[in-house]
Amino acid sequence: MRVVVDRELCQVHAQCVFAAPEVFELDDDDRLVHVAEPGDELIGAVEEAARACPVQAISLEET
């Protein structure tokens, strides 16, 4: 699975950080950074993060 964040849509509400802190975090400049290809054990958390995004900036792609 590949995590894709649309930087044009992302408004850094950081709901994904709360839903999947193993995959999403804010850097020192409050920009969102993420693991592009997290392990299979994190699929559920990433799906929850995508649902939690208020602007739907997160999508998942099969690898």
Side-chain angles (χ1 to χ4, degrees), residues 1-7 23-24 34-40 42-43 46-47 50 56-63:
M1 165 185 58
R2 181 167 189 75
V3 178
V4 179
V5 176
D6 185 330
R7 301 287 179 190
V23 179
F24 301 93
H34 69 285
V35 177
E37 294 187 16
D40 290 343
L42 297 172
I43 290 174
V46 173
E47 289 173 337
Q56 301 299 293
I58 301 168
S59 60
L60 308 174
E61 297 177 351
E62 291 293 326
T63 54

Side-chain angles (χ1 to χ4, degrees), residues 2-60:
R2 181 167 189 75
V3 178
V4 179
V5 176
D6 185 330
R7 301 287 179 190
E8 296 292 319
L9 287 177
C10 180
Q11 297 176 2
V12 195
H13 291 284
Q15 295 304 302
C16 57
V17 175
F18 295 109
E22 307 88 345
V23 179
F24 301 93
E25 66 180 343
L26 298 178
D27 68 9
D28 292 336
D29 295 321
D30 287 334
R31 290 179 296 199
L32 182 68
V33 293
H34 69 285
V35 177
E37 294 187 16
D40 290 343
E41 70 279 5
L42 297 172
I43 290 174
V46 173
E47 289 173 337
E48 176 61 31
R51 285 191 298 272
C53 181
V55 295
Q56 301 299 293
I58 301 168
S59 60
L60 308 174

